[in-house]
Amino acid sequence: MKKFTLHLKKFVFFWISFIFFVCCGFETADESTDIIQQLLIKYYDSTAEGDAIKRYELKVTNTGFCRYKKVYTTGKTEFFAFNLSRFRSMDYYGASSNGTLYLRTKNDDVIVQTRNDRKGDIDSMRNYIVVPLKGIDVADLNILLAQFKQLNLTLASNK
């Protein structure tokens, strides 16, 4: 009976360990959104448009949305949002000291809303978001691209 109990303990331990390692080996969508959020906030260049911007919000949600809001000192507000399942590619123009990141979507999937503008409130669609960055190196850009692609695949497979 002791031999049977020993084998049973080994068997149960093996399967619990196996399930633990399998579950820990995969990155979840929450981890990807956290990494993307941290990198974008860390390298965001708030001085790119000078004193024109009073505040900004850059958020990647757990449900797979990327939201970017700029509030200007004049009161004008620009809001950009898209679902990361529609992400197509990422381009970075500039040097490691400063540049602009273009997040491109498959079609006109970026919602653009402008409020309190002299021309009036405008709602439109676009196929990219432009985010100014500073001090980012190539390794972090590659991590960012890999996380966007991973999240895109995760969200597309969940549909």
Side-chain angles (χ1 to χ4, degrees):
M1 189 67 169
K2 288 183 182 180
K3 193 174 185 180
F4 174 74
T5 307
L6 180 66
H7 288 304
L8 183 63
K9 286 180 184 177
K10 286 181 183 178
F11 179 76
V12 170
F13 177 74
F14 170 76
W15 280 107
I16 290 173
S17 300
F18 178 75
I19 291 170
F20 174 75
F21 287 119
V22 167
C23 292
C24 290
F26 296 109
E27 227 177 80
T28 63
D30 291 342
E31 292 171 356
S32 293
T33 58
D34 289 342
I35 292 169
I36 292 169
Q37 173 88 25
Q38 290 170 359
L39 286 173
L40 288 177
I41 289 175
K42 179 179 177 182
Y43 294 112
Y44 183 79
D45 186 6
S46 59
T47 62
E49 296 189 41
D51 295 333
I53 294 184
K54 182 171 30 174
R55 67 182 168 90
Y56 74 94
E57 295 173 19
L58 192 56
K59 183 156 177 76
V60 180
T61 66
N62 293 339
T63 57
F65 277 91
C66 181
R67 296 184 174 124
Y68 178 38
K69 181 179 180 180
K70 297 189 285 187
V71 179
Y72 293 87
T73 54
T74 60
K76 175 183 171 182
T77 303
E78 289 182 337
F79 179 76
F80 307 89
F82 74 97
N83 191 323
L84 290 170
S85 66
R86 305 297 298 161
F87 175 78
R88 185 188 68 187
S89 66
M90 179 181 95
D91 296 320
Y92 181 76
Y93 299 107
S96 61
S97 60
N98 64 355
T100 53
L101 179 72
Y102 283 75
L103 301 174
R104 301 188 189 281
T105 59
K106 296 177 181 173
N107 293 316
D108 287 343
D109 297 314
V110 177
I111 300 167
V112 181
Q113 296 177 331
T114 305
R115 301 289 177 251
N116 301 325
D117 192 11
R118 287 180 280 161
K119 299 175 186 174
D121 296 346
I122 302 169
D123 293 340
S124 61
M125 300 297 284
R126 198 188 275 182
N127 64 352
Y128 62 91
I129 290 179
V130 179
V131 180
L133 299 178
K134 67 178 175 183
I136 192 165
D137 59 354
V138 175
D140 286 333
L141 283 171
N142 289 335
I143 290 170
L144 193 61
L145 179 60
Q147 293 302 318
F148 272 119
K149 286 184 176 181
Q150 175 66 33
L151 188 57
N152 183 323
L153 290 173
T154 303
L155 292 171
S157 66
N158 289 341
K159 283 189 174 182

